[in-house]
Amino acid sequence: MAGRDKFGDCACFNLRRAARLVTQAYDQVLAPSKLKATQFTLLAVLAPAGKGIAISALAEKLGMDRTTLTRNLAVVERAGLVSLRPGEDPRTKLVSLTANGRKALEEAVPLWREAQSEAIDRLGDEWGDFLKMTRRIAAI
């Protein structure tokens, strides 16, 4: 029980710190593509959506709230990487990649692979455990 009261053992603190550091590492490798890791992830999740995906469904896939996603979408929309249009229900907006978004994603994938390979190498034998644990945490 004693460890439960130590700030350094805080699940939220440690996950957020690790996420920031991993994001910074991916950002550094992705820099030549002009995409941030968060933008790359957004485009990668959108790529298979074809004609588009509702903002609420996209937020769920990314584990983000709609407000944060809307702010992130505004940045990539201004850059011409995604388009937003009304869905069948006018209260719903659909998001899809533009041709420029697909091109940016294709150009960034080799850089992402480099960052991913570095992450796997650094974790070594713990890579599988890392994936299992992060997926488990996300499912909670």
Side-chain angles (χ1 to χ4, degrees):
M1 284 298 245
R4 291 180 181 231
D5 293 333
K6 291 172 32 184
F7 175 71
D9 292 340
C10 174
C12 184
F13 167 77
N14 283 291
L15 281 170
R16 292 182 57 84
R17 182 173 186 267
R20 283 189 295 271
L21 293 170
V22 169
T23 299
Q24 289 169 13
Y26 276 71
D27 281 348
Q28 187 174 4
V29 175
L30 286 168
S33 74
K34 307 250 188 318
L35 290 177
K36 298 283 191 184
T38 52
Q39 296 165 337
F40 176 87
T41 301
L42 179 58
L43 298 183
V45 170
L46 277 173
K51 294 183 179 184
I53 183 172
I55 289 178
S56 56
L58 182 57
E60 186 175 326
K61 279 183 181 263
L62 292 167
M64 300 173 80
D65 64 69
R66 286 177 46 104
T67 306
T68 302
L69 177 56
T70 300
R71 283 193 306 268
N72 290 342
L73 284 171
V75 174
V76 290
E77 183 181 28
R78 280 193 304 272
L81 304 178
V82 303
S83 65
L84 278 78
R85 65 181 180 1
E88 288 183 26
D89 177 343
R91 296 171 295 179
T92 303
K93 284 191 178 180
L94 298 178
V95 186
S96 58
L97 284 182
T98 63
N100 285 340
R102 287 196 184 283
K103 183 178 180 206
L105 180 60
E106 287 173 16
E107 291 173 359
V109 164
L111 298 169
W112 171 83
R113 284 189 179 124
E114 181 182 330
Q116 183 76 352
S117 180
E118 177 68 21
I120 292 168
D121 288 348
R122 285 181 179 242
L123 284 171
D125 293 340
E126 296 175 2
W127 175 250
D129 293 337
F130 168 78
L131 282 181
K132 185 176 175 182
M133 182 59 71
T134 54
R135 289 174 177 156
R136 187 170 158 213
I137 290 167
I140 292 175

